């Protein structure tokens, strides 16, 4: 039945992740058609295997013992542009397309809407899962719909943007409906000859009120990412990470005031924070981590913080997943003890018993 399916066994996963960490997948399938995705799922069902969908491996920590089920990589390709209403251009993209290459193509075609999301590693199919965002833009701003395979109803369907339930680093795919849907294709609506979105302070100060081209915006975003060690293709130890390891905590203003009382007494000038809702602010986790005594380049065994950004836990060479988890726990405990804030990790943990 699955004779045309190339299911491999005992495949090392570390090289398929940006962390460069992790054991083997008991079974592994790179699916190049929707049919293969569905056959792979049937194989897992018949053999009572758990399934993990691997994208570009840029937001995942895989355990040292690997994954005992089926790792399915959705390698569906294709980019189709269609004229929409007015200046709108609709584009349908296969989940397996490289995200940054796709952004580059759109920028060259003068299509606005995703230019600030330049330089982000991973595949298109991963972008709706955590509502990828950076430099003032989120994919939910341009996303129209997501074609998925529904593992509950055993059929392919299309979810509208509203049905995806997007929030900060959040969607139904990583919360209420985790593991239910497999992203096959994403539709975005971009704006022909639109202006870039320049709202993030680093971008604003760089362009000093001038409206840059989409291409310039992409270049500057990539340069800023590189300066923060967040451009994976630049290589090196700082890029052996999953990007931001924690979400930026969102707290009530009363909590901010409480923190101010603690920290201003210690000589800190002010706490950076960003408006979320009238009573809610976002505090940069990187800043809290530094206040708690961790610094850029901090090391514990073979795990450490990036030398350019304290929010990225990095593999400083042959780190085990356990070493990453140990450092994660140290940071979380310290932030809890000092500030009473629970730092929530951003990556997916695969093959661990307790996550
Ligand atoms: N900061 C420090 N120390 C550092 C770095 C930053 O104290 O080493 C403080 C500074 O106060 C700085 C603030 O943190 O102003 C914010 O830093 P940054 O602008 O680098 O952004 P971030 O909040 O750390 C978020 C996203 C990134 C995204 C950038 C740019 C999250 C969890 N992370 O980081 O996304 O690229 O904004 O928009 O929201 C990712 O998700 O993997 C990711 C890289």
């Amino acid at each position: 039945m699955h004779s045309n399916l190339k299911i491999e066994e005992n495949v090392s996963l570390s090289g398929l992740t940006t962390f460069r960490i992790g054991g083997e997948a008991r079974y592994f399938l790179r699916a190049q058609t929707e049919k293969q995705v569905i056959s792979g799922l049937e194989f897992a069902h018949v053999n009572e295997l758990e399934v993990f969908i691997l994208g570009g491996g840029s937001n995942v920590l895989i355990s040292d013992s690997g994954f005992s089920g089926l790792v399915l990589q959705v390698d569906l390709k294709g980019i189709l542009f269609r004229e929409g209403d007015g200046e709108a251009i609709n584009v349908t993209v296969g989940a397996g397309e490289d995200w940054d290459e796709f952004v580059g193509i759109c920028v060259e075609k003068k299509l606005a809407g995703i230019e600030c999301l330049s330089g982000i590693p991973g595949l298109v199919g991963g972008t709706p899962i955590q509502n990828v965002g950076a430099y003032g833009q989120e994919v939910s701003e341009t996303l129209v719909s997501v074609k998925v395979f529904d593992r509950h109803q055993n059929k392919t369907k299309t979810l509208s943007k509203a049905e995806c339930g997007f929030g900060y680093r959040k969607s139904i795919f990583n919360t209420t409906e985790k593991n239910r849907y497999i992203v096959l294709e994403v539709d975005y609506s971009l704006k022909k000859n639109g202006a870039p979105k320049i709202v993030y302070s680093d971008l604003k100060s760089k362009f000093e009120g001038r409206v840059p081209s989409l291409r310039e915006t992409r270049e500057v975003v990539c340069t800023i990412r590189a300066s923060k060690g967040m451009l994976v293709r630049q290589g090196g130890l700082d890029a052996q990470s999953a990007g931001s390891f924690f979400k930026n905590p969102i707290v009530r203003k009363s909590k901010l005031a409480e923190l101010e009382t603690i920290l201003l007494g210690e000589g800190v000038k002010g706490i950076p924070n960003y408006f979320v809702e009238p009573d809610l602010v976002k505090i940069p986790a990187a800043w809290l981590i530094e206040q708690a005594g961790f610094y850029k380049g901090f090391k514990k065994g073979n795990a450490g913080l990036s030398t350019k950004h304290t929010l990225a836990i990095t593999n400083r060479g042959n780190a085990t997943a356990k070493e990453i988890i140990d450092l994660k726990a140290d940071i979380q405990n310290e932030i809890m003890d000092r500030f009473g804030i629970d730092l929530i990790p951003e990556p997916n943990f695969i093959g661990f018993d307790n996550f």
Side-chain angles (χ1 to χ4, degrees):
M1 175 190 173
H2 299 292
S3 53
N4 61 343
L5 263 196
K6 279 201 238 100
I7 294 187
E8 298 168 66
E9 294 190 42
N10 305 322
V11 173
S12 171
L13 295 171
S14 61
L16 300 176
T17 72
T18 50
F19 250 133
R20 310 234 148 235
I21 290 176
E24 293 180 347
R26 179 66 188 89
Y27 296 98
F28 182 89
L29 172 66
R30 179 166 292 131
Q32 286 167 319
T33 61
E34 281 185 26
K35 224 170 155 183
Q36 286 177 359
V37 172
I38 294 166
S39 303
L41 292 172
E42 277 170 18
F43 171 85
H45 182 70
V46 169
N47 294 286
E48 295 180 13
L49 299 169
E50 264 188 75
V51 178
F52 168 59
I53 307 295
L54 178 69
S58 56
N59 202 41
V60 64
L61 181 65
I62 294 173
S63 78
D64 298 313
S65 53
F67 185 69
S68 55
L70 171 72
V71 171
L72 182 57
Q73 202 167 35
V74 179
D75 195 23
L76 305 178
K77 302 286 195 208
I79 305 180
L80 183 69
F81 292 94
R82 276 167 287 109
E83 300 272 336
D85 295 338
E87 295 297 287
I89 299 287
N90 296 323
V91 49
T92 303
V93 199
E97 289 287 348
D98 180 85
W99 171 256
D100 190 45
E101 274 174 39
F102 168 61
V103 175
I105 292 169
C106 294
V107 163
E108 287 311 305
K109 283 180 169 288
K110 297 195 166 51
L111 301 178
I114 51 177
E115 60 285 345
C116 297
L117 305 176
S118 290
I120 292 179
L123 305 181
V124 165
T127 60
I129 309 287
Q130 57 150 342
N131 183 18
V132 161
Y135 302 100
Q137 220 165 36
E138 289 185 342
V139 288
S140 58
E141 293 169 34
T142 43
L143 186 143
V144 176
S145 61
V146 184
K147 183 175 165 195
V148 294
F149 183 79
D150 181 348
R151 297 177 67 195
H152 286 187
Q153 297 180 342
N154 234 351
K155 63 175 193 191
T156 300
K157 62 186 191 192
T158 299
L159 300 175
S160 69
K161 171 178 162 165
E163 288 172 305
C164 294
F166 290 121
Y168 166 60
R169 294 291 189 275
K170 200 173 94 176
S171 71
I172 57 165
F173 306 116
N174 65 3
T175 55
T176 49
E177 304 293 348
K178 207 169 173 176
N179 297 329
R180 172 171 175 180
Y181 296 113
I182 291 164
V183 176
L184 303 172
E185 223 169 63
V186 188
D187 266 52
Y188 303 91
S189 176
L190 305 175
K191 194 168 173 207
K192 180 89 188 147
N193 294 320
K197 187 171 184 190
I198 309 294
V199 293
Y200 195 78
S201 62
D202 288 6
L203 290 179
K204 272 192 186 159
S205 60
K206 172 77 192 175
F207 295 117
E208 297 171 330
R210 179 171 71 84
V211 181
S213 66
L214 294 173
R215 192 190 278 176
E216 273 178 286
T217 307
R218 173 170 167 76
E219 278 165 12
V220 168
V221 165
C222 287
T223 308
I224 298 173
R225 288 193 77 90
S227 74
K228 294 181 178 181
M230 296 277 185
L231 191 66
V232 170
R233 59 177 138 81
Q234 77 196 115
L237 296 183
D238 284 336
Q240 288 193 163
S241 77
S244 300
F245 199 89
F246 299 103
K247 295 183 198 181
N248 288 330
I250 294 175
V251 302
R252 294 205 176 281
K253 282 199 168 153
S254 54
K255 180 76 194 177
L256 180 67
E258 190 190 304
L259 292 180
E260 270 165 356
T261 317
I262 307 176
L263 286 162
L264 298 189
E266 294 175 9
V268 170
K269 296 229 163 49
I271 301 181
N273 64 91
Y274 308 98
F275 173 89
V276 178
E277 277 175 28
D279 190 38
L280 294 178
V281 291
K282 205 190 268 181
I283 303 181
W287 187 88
L288 290 170
I289 291 170
E290 282 196 25
Q291 296 307 312
F294 299 92
Y295 46 88
K296 295 182 184 112
F298 178 92
K299 268 192 85 173
K300 185 180 185 190
N302 294 312
L305 297 183
S306 160
T307 62
K308 300 194 179 82
H309 202 299
T310 53
L311 197 48
I313 296 185
T314 57
N315 168 7
R316 309 309 294 178
N318 295 323
T320 58
K322 184 173 179 308
E323 285 178 297
I324 302 290
I325 295 288
D326 283 351
L327 178 54
K328 158 195 171 286
D330 285 359
I331 294 171
Q332 283 175 313
N333 291 338
E334 200 61 35
I335 299 283
M336 180 50 85
D337 286 354
R338 290 222 42 198
F339 308 123
I341 290 180
D342 187 16
L343 278 190
I344 310 290
E346 203 199 66
N348 294 308
F349 297 89
I350 302 303
F352 295 88
D353 293 334
N354 43 353
F355 291 106

